[in-house]
């Protein structure tokens, strides 16, 4: 499993273009709340972009409550008025990219909550997913390979295990930018990565034991170095 990564400018430009085209499509076809958007494949062909980019734009609009996806049914215009929707679209398109420190602070606040929920709500399927991500990370680090993506995939698995779709969606939105910044600032050096194996294992064990407080404490330990590093940039 891999994550597609664009640079900050590329990602912002592509996302804004797709969001603008989705807005224009809604207006042109006079779509109302509850109306269904064309399938991702159709939008991908129509806009001349990859399906993954369309999916990310739709996910972003879902996060802001403009679109709503229903499993095995498709994506629909949410129950929001035209004026409000246009205003929110403009706000989304004018959003500034967060700086690295803001991303780190947001991620830490978010994950201290998601890891507690994951410890409370995790399923056996979640544990399998978490263990696979942990093993992939450990293998890369032990082979002295870059493990930034595997690191973030472990944390995405925690977000999914939290059972909170909004938190999971938000993690998915900010993850590509976090990866880009990690690589830019060389955050995960060899020593930190090796330490990260045990820290990930401790977090996994706490989730497996369904101990929310311990999981939160272990996540705090894991983020301590990252937070200190962030403020020394």
């Amino acid at each position: 499993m891999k994550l597609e990564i664009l640079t900050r400018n590329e990602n912002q430009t592509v996302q804004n273009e797709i969001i603008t085209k989705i807005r224009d499509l809604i207006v042109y076809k006079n779509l109302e709340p509850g109306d269904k958007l064309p399938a991702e494949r159709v939008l991908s062909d129509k806009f001349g972009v990859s399906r993954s980019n369309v999916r990310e734009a739709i996910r972003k609009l879902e996060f802001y409550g403009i679109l709503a996806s229903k499993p095995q049914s498709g994506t629909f215009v949410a129950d929001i008025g035209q004026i409000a929707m246009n205003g929110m679209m403009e706000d989304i398109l004018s959003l500034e990219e967060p700086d690295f420190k803001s991303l780190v602070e947001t991620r830490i606040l978010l994950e201290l909550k998601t890891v507690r929920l994951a410890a409370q709500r995790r399923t056996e399927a979640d544990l399998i997913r978490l263990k696979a991500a942990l093993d992939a990370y450990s293998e890369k680090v032990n082979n002295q390979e870059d493990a930034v993506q595997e690191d973030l995939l472990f944390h995405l698995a925690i977000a999914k295990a939290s059972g909170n779709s909004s938190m999971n969606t938000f993690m998915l939105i900010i993850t590509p930018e976090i990866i880009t910044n990690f690589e830019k600032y060389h955050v995960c050096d060899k020593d930190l990565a090796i330490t990260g194996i045990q820290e990930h294992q401790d977090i996994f064990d706490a989730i497996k034991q369904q101990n929310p407080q311990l999981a939160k404490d272990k996540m705090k330990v894991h983020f301590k170095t990252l937070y200190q590093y962030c403020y020394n940039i």
Side-chain angles (χ1 to χ4, degrees):
M1 181 178 180
K2 290 291 181 182
L3 296 170
E4 289 193 14
I5 305 173
L6 296 173
T7 66
R8 173 182 296 194
N9 290 336
E10 288 174 334
N11 188 64
Q12 183 73 4
T13 300
V14 171
Q15 289 304 302
N16 282 354
E17 287 177 353
I18 297 173
I19 289 172
T20 299
K21 289 177 179 178
I22 290 176
R23 178 192 62 186
D24 293 343
L25 179 67
I26 292 173
V27 173
Y28 177 74
K29 290 187 172 292
N30 197 29
L31 298 181
E32 297 181 350
D35 287 344
K36 185 177 180 180
L37 288 184
E40 287 181 3
R41 175 183 54 79
V42 175
L43 293 177
S44 173
D45 293 340
K46 183 179 181 64
F47 298 160
V49 296
S50 70
R51 289 184 65 175
S52 63
N53 283 333
V54 170
R55 190 175 303 116
E56 187 176 345
I58 289 175
R59 188 181 293 125
K60 189 171 185 178
L61 292 175
E62 284 182 302
F63 178 77
Y64 287 104
I66 293 173
L67 298 179
S69 290
K70 300 178 182 179
Q72 301 180 341
S73 296
T75 303
F76 300 83
V77 179
D79 188 10
I80 182 173
Q82 186 68 45
I83 294 177
M85 185 190 72
N86 287 337
M88 291 177 67
M89 286 279 201
E90 290 300 325
D91 288 342
I92 293 170
L93 292 171
S94 64
L95 284 174
E96 295 182 1
E97 285 292 320
D99 58 50
F100 184 42
K101 291 179 182 179
S102 297
L103 282 169
V104 170
E105 290 175 347
T106 301
R107 179 189 171 192
I108 291 174
L109 290 171
L110 183 66
E111 290 210 60
L112 289 178
K113 182 62 177 179
T114 58
V115 77
R116 285 180 59 87
L117 292 176
Q120 293 170 347
R121 301 172 177 175
R122 61 82 174 157
T123 64
E124 291 302 315
D126 290 324
L127 290 179
I128 292 173
R129 191 179 300 108
L130 283 163
K131 187 63 165 60
L134 172 59
D135 290 345
Y137 175 78
S138 301
E139 181 179 357
K140 280 289 188 73
V141 172
N142 289 327
N143 289 333
Q144 298 185 339
E145 299 178 53
D146 185 299
V148 172
Q149 293 191 37
E150 286 73 18
D151 179 17
L152 269 297
L153 286 170
F154 177 76
H155 289 273
L156 287 174
I158 292 174
K160 186 172 180 63
S162 75
N164 186 301
S165 59
S166 294
M167 289 184 176
N168 188 34
T169 298
F170 194 63
M171 276 294 293
L172 288 168
I173 290 173
I174 67 175
T175 289
E177 189 65 19
I178 290 173
I179 293 177
T180 300
N181 278 282
F182 272 22
E183 294 177 339
K184 176 181 178 181
Y185 293 111
H186 307 289
V187 173
C188 295
D189 62 22
K190 180 180 178 182
D191 292 337
L192 287 177
I194 292 175
T195 302
I197 294 177
Q198 185 58 54
E199 291 173 353
H200 281 192
Q201 183 66 55
D202 291 342
I203 294 168
F204 172 80
D205 290 341
I207 292 174
K208 185 176 182 179
Q209 296 167 20
Q210 294 188 302
N211 188 327
Q213 187 58 49
L214 180 61
K216 181 180 179 180
D217 291 342
K218 294 301 182 181
M219 185 66 79
K220 282 184 177 180
V221 172
H222 183 52
F223 279 141
K224 183 178 180 180
T225 302
L226 173 60
Y227 195 83
Q228 291 174 338
Y229 182 94
C230 171
Y231 278 88
N232 287 326
I233 292 176

